[in-house]
Amino acid sequence: MHWADEIAENLIRRHPDREIFNCASGISPSGPVHVGNLRDIVTIWFVGKCLRERGKQAHLFHSWDEYDRFRKVPKGIPESYGEYIGRPLTEIPDPLGDSSSYAARYEHQFEESLRELGIHIEFRYQTKMYRSGLYRQGIIEAVRARKTIYDILASYRTQGGSEPERENYFPITIYCEGCGKDTTQILFADDSETVMRYSCSSCGQQGTVDLNVASNVKLPWKIDWAMRWRHEGVIFEPGGKDHATAGGSFEVASEISKRIYHFEPPFFQPYEFIGLKGLTGKMSSSTGQLLTPRDVLQIYQPEVLLLVFARVPPTRAFDLAVDDQIHRIYEEFDKIYLGGSKLPTDKRALELARIPGREVHPVSFRQLTSFSGLAQGNHQALELIFARIGTPCQKELFAERFQKAQHWLEYYAPDQRTALLSRRNCDYFQTLAPYERAWIHELFRWLKASKFTLEEATEKVYAIPRQSGMTEKEQANVQRRFFQIVYNLLFGKDKGPRLGTFLAALPSEQYVDLLNFTDLAEESIDSAEKLPIHENLGHQK
């Protein structure tokens, strides 16, 4: 059974009489929201699909924890933003000036990417939720149970607590009405513990809040989490594995939920973090070392990206490739899409990854990247290339994937862009051993004299360096060396597209003269052809 089906079945077993399942996720937009945060959203999205298939209603919502304090200035943000530390994320101006706030910029970017992925859920904005008064009852309950909450929190600390600290503990954050920061301290609370005086260490202001009407009060994270579970009736919520450790935030919030809010905590699915293969370091919004979903969707088709997430259970970590392993990911998608995988979980993952109203055309991503530089962005030229290699394909079928292949080459693999040299690479040819020059002359003569198919070209390039008496290892070595030589003569580098495919894809008159060294090769060719194969191999360094 697919992991999302297992979670859905588990939820139904836990709540056999329930018809509506509220599934929640949440992210703090403290900076650009990296692609790893997608695991929060896609988990409830896939589970929601599974619940609906079983006749249940799934209410999916995502909370933007934008009423959190601004903790530090992320990389790429002006250092002057240090003055805003301590304010809510929604009270900080957008660095570029075109969104209503710092938080809104990153929220909108992420939401746009979700729409491209075909994910449609309800968004809840915590600044609005707190300021609307919807949480006032939960806040007052927490304050009146403040000593019990203190005991719960202290029981998870290695150093425990103290009676004076317990007496003065209040489980709320007050944003100063003067400077807007959370650098406040409660000086006094009345007998009802709803009216309080505070002072601010940043601006020196003293003020009063009444929890019955105040809109500048927030619960700390673990208490806030428990309060919202009850308020929203959450049945299922995923979260990073760091929350699920012994004594971690989920365990603490669960105890607060049961003892203070008398609400059974939701089923919590911890998930492993994801990395980026080809981008070094851990993804982090604060350090700026990240890729956002918008960045990744410039090289991944939405269904391909969703399939990557759908195939891997939340309990397993994985790396999302932005290096040349992206070819393998597209090839695996195409194989599954075309029914080539026999794994039931692959078929199910594809069903969950499909986006209604969209069709995917499995044109080889590897070939698109190989031919990108040769076609120079010309769709008509690319159509001709596909026709020549026997896989005719129209622009309408490859245009979307071709755009992503071009973006990948430009930003992640510029050294892999293939372009023919403008003139013969004579200096390189002069460095070749006599038998290597003989290979090139044989290839040139064959290209000049032949009209050939893709299969014939592929067979020929493997056959040219191979001779009788070679071991398999020797054959592999000389073939690899032959390809390297041809790539250097055609493109000026050691690697290139599959050679047989390339030779068949372009009219030979476009490249054959780059392999014409007849005027330089006659003498060395004659001598090389007289040498036995093992002596030829001895020339290779």
Side-chain angles (χ1 to χ4, degrees):
M1 187 180 290
H2 187 272
W3 61 262
D5 288 303
E6 289 181 356
I7 292 174
E9 293 279 4
N10 189 7
L11 291 173
I12 293 171
R13 282 196 299 271
R14 287 167 173 256
H15 307 279
D17 300 323
R18 181 176 289 275
E19 292 301 317
I20 301 175
F21 288 77
N22 294 333
C23 306
S25 66
I27 300 170
S28 177
S30 56
V33 182
H34 59 72
V35 69
N37 290 122
L38 268 182
R39 206 158 203 184
D40 237 35
I41 308 287
V42 297
T43 300
I44 65 169
W45 180 246
F46 294 148
V47 170
K49 281 188 174 184
C50 296
L51 287 168
R52 289 166 181 152
E53 289 173 353
R54 288 160 172 78
K56 303 297 183 181
Q57 296 181 51
H59 184 191
L60 314 179
F61 51 88
H62 174 78
S63 285
W64 284 116
D65 295 327
E66 53 178 21
Y67 208 42
D68 289 356
R69 74 191 300 268
F70 185 52
R71 297 183 179 278
K72 62 180 179 179
V73 181
K75 185 178 179 180
I77 301 297
E79 286 299 321
S80 60
Y81 268 57
E83 67 176 287
Y84 300 119
I85 289 175
R87 292 187 184 182
L89 294 168
T90 44
E91 293 300 312
I92 302 168
D94 172 25
L96 299 183
D98 52 10
S99 291
S100 60
S101 71
Y102 177 91
R105 160 166 293 280
Y106 304 120
E107 291 167 354
H108 294 162
Q109 288 178 358
F110 193 78
E111 289 172 13
E112 286 174 8
S113 296
L114 293 182
R115 285 191 288 271
E116 187 174 345
L117 288 164
I119 294 175
H120 304 285
I121 60 179
E122 178 188 345
F123 294 102
R124 296 188 174 179
Y125 304 92
Q126 289 305 308
T127 296
K128 179 180 179 181
M129 298 292 285
Y130 267 101
R131 290 179 174 172
S132 69
L134 287 171
Y135 295 156
R136 280 178 190 148
Q137 182 59 38
I139 293 171
I140 291 172
E141 286 180 67
V143 169
R144 288 178 174 166
R146 61 191 179 89
K147 292 182 180 179
T148 302
I149 291 176
Y150 178 87
D151 292 339
I152 293 171
L153 297 175
S155 69
Y156 289 95
R157 297 178 191 155
T158 54
Q159 72 274 24
S162 68
E163 190 56 36
E165 188 181 55
R166 181 176 186 265
E167 190 65 33
N168 294 312
Y169 172 74
F170 284 88
I172 57 173
T173 294
I174 299 174
Y175 285 112
C176 176
E177 293 172 297
C179 65
K181 297 184 178 182
D182 65 348
T183 49
T184 56
Q185 181 181 3
I186 293 173
L187 304 175
F188 169 80
D190 69 358
D191 291 340
S192 69
E193 295 193 315
T194 58
V195 178
M196 304 168 188
R197 282 207 316 268
Y198 70 88
S199 66
C200 176
S201 61
S202 292
C203 68
Q205 174 161 320
Q206 293 195 1
T208 301
V209 294
D210 182 346
L211 299 183
N212 293 292
V213 296
S215 60
N216 61 327
V217 176
K218 181 186 183 300
L219 293 173
W221 157 237
K222 295 169 187 175
I223 307 163
D224 168 89
W225 203 11
M227 179 272 294
R228 281 195 274 156
W229 286 338
R230 185 187 69 177
H231 181 84
E232 297 167 338
V234 179
I235 297 297
F236 171 62
E237 182 166 1
K241 66 175 183 178
D242 51 334
H243 295 309
T245 57
S249 53
F250 178 73
E251 185 176 330
V252 176
S254 295
E255 191 168 347
I256 293 171
S257 180
K258 287 183 280 191
R259 292 179 60 183
I260 307 302
Y261 294 111
H262 310 291
F263 181 80
E264 189 63 28
F267 174 69
F268 183 68
Q269 177 59 63
Y271 57 77
E272 286 280 348
F273 300 124
I274 72 170
L276 291 168
K277 192 173 186 303
L279 186 74
T280 57
K282 181 182 177 182
M283 282 192 289
S284 166
S285 295
S286 60
T287 64
Q289 176 71 14
L290 55 79
L291 290 179
T292 66
R294 172 192 281 183
D295 295 328
V296 173
L297 283 167
Q298 289 182 308
I299 60 175
Y300 278 92
Q301 286 182 292
E303 294 86 353
V304 178
L305 184 60
L306 286 173
L307 184 71
V308 173
F309 280 88
R311 292 182 77 194
V312 185
T315 51
R316 273 177 43 203
F318 69 92
D319 289 331
L320 184 65
V322 296
D323 60 4
D324 56 10
Q325 287 298 305
I326 193 172
H327 298 306
R328 178 185 56 79
I329 291 179
Y330 269 97
E331 286 164 358
E332 289 179 356
F333 175 89
D334 292 347
K335 178 181 177 181
I336 296 168
Y337 190 83
L338 295 171
S341 173
K342 296 182 180 180
L343 294 175
T345 51
D346 278 348
K347 181 181 177 182
R348 180 58 172 152
L350 180 63
E351 291 174 353
L352 295 172
R354 282 186 177 273
I355 300 174
R358 276 179 53 89
E359 286 295 326
V360 179
H361 305 289
V363 183
S364 169
F365 190 84
R366 187 184 299 273
Q367 288 184 350
L368 289 171
T369 57
S370 295
F371 300 145
S372 174
L374 304 173
Q376 296 294 310
N378 186 322
H379 289 110
Q380 187 176 7
L382 197 54
E383 286 183 356
L384 292 173
I385 289 173
F386 278 116
R388 286 184 61 85
I389 62 175
T391 55
C393 190
Q394 302 303 307
K395 170 187 173 181
E396 292 73 20
L397 303 183
F398 65 71
E400 179 187 11
R401 193 173 280 195
F402 183 45
Q403 182 182 30
K404 297 185 186 302
Q406 287 184 300
H407 189 90
W408 177 75
L409 283 169
E410 182 176 356
Y411 289 95
Y412 300 97
D415 59 321
Q416 294 192 31
R417 185 177 291 277
T418 303
L420 288 168
L421 295 176
S422 59
R423 60 183 180 179
R424 294 188 305 169
N425 194 349
C426 293
D427 290 343
Y428 179 80
F429 183 80
Q430 296 282 21
T431 68
L432 301 180
Y435 71 94
E436 293 172 335
R437 298 184 189 187
W439 291 342
I440 300 305
H441 188 63
E442 182 179 348
L443 177 61
F444 169 72
R445 285 186 299 188
W446 184 79
L447 291 170
K448 287 289 285 185
S450 307
K451 290 185 178 180
F452 49 86
T453 64
L454 169 60
E455 291 75 16
E456 290 168 339
T458 300
E459 182 180 348
K460 185 64 178 177
V461 297
Y462 279 97
I464 286 175
R466 186 175 60 226
Q467 293 190 23
S468 61
M470 281 186 172
T471 65
E472 287 188 10
K473 183 177 181 180
E474 287 173 337
Q475 287 183 24
N477 286 338
V478 296
Q479 287 165 344
R480 189 180 303 111
R481 174 60 179 161
F482 175 59
F483 295 156
Q484 181 187 61
I485 292 169
V486 179
Y487 291 143
N488 273 279
L489 294 175
L490 292 174
F491 314 120
K493 54 187 181 182
D494 289 342
K495 295 182 179 180
R498 290 176 178 169
L499 189 53
T501 303
F502 167 79
L503 296 177
L506 264 67
S508 60
E509 57 267 22
Q510 292 188 21
Y511 59 79
V512 71
D513 286 341
L514 294 173
L515 302 173
N516 182 7
F517 296 95
T518 306
D519 55 328
L520 302 176
E522 295 289 358
E523 182 178 344
S524 59
I525 289 168
D526 291 340
S527 61
E529 289 176 339
K530 296 174 184 176
L531 288 172
I533 183 60
H534 296 295
E535 292 187 44
N536 278 345
L537 286 172
H539 287 282
Q540 188 172 326
K541 300 297 183 185

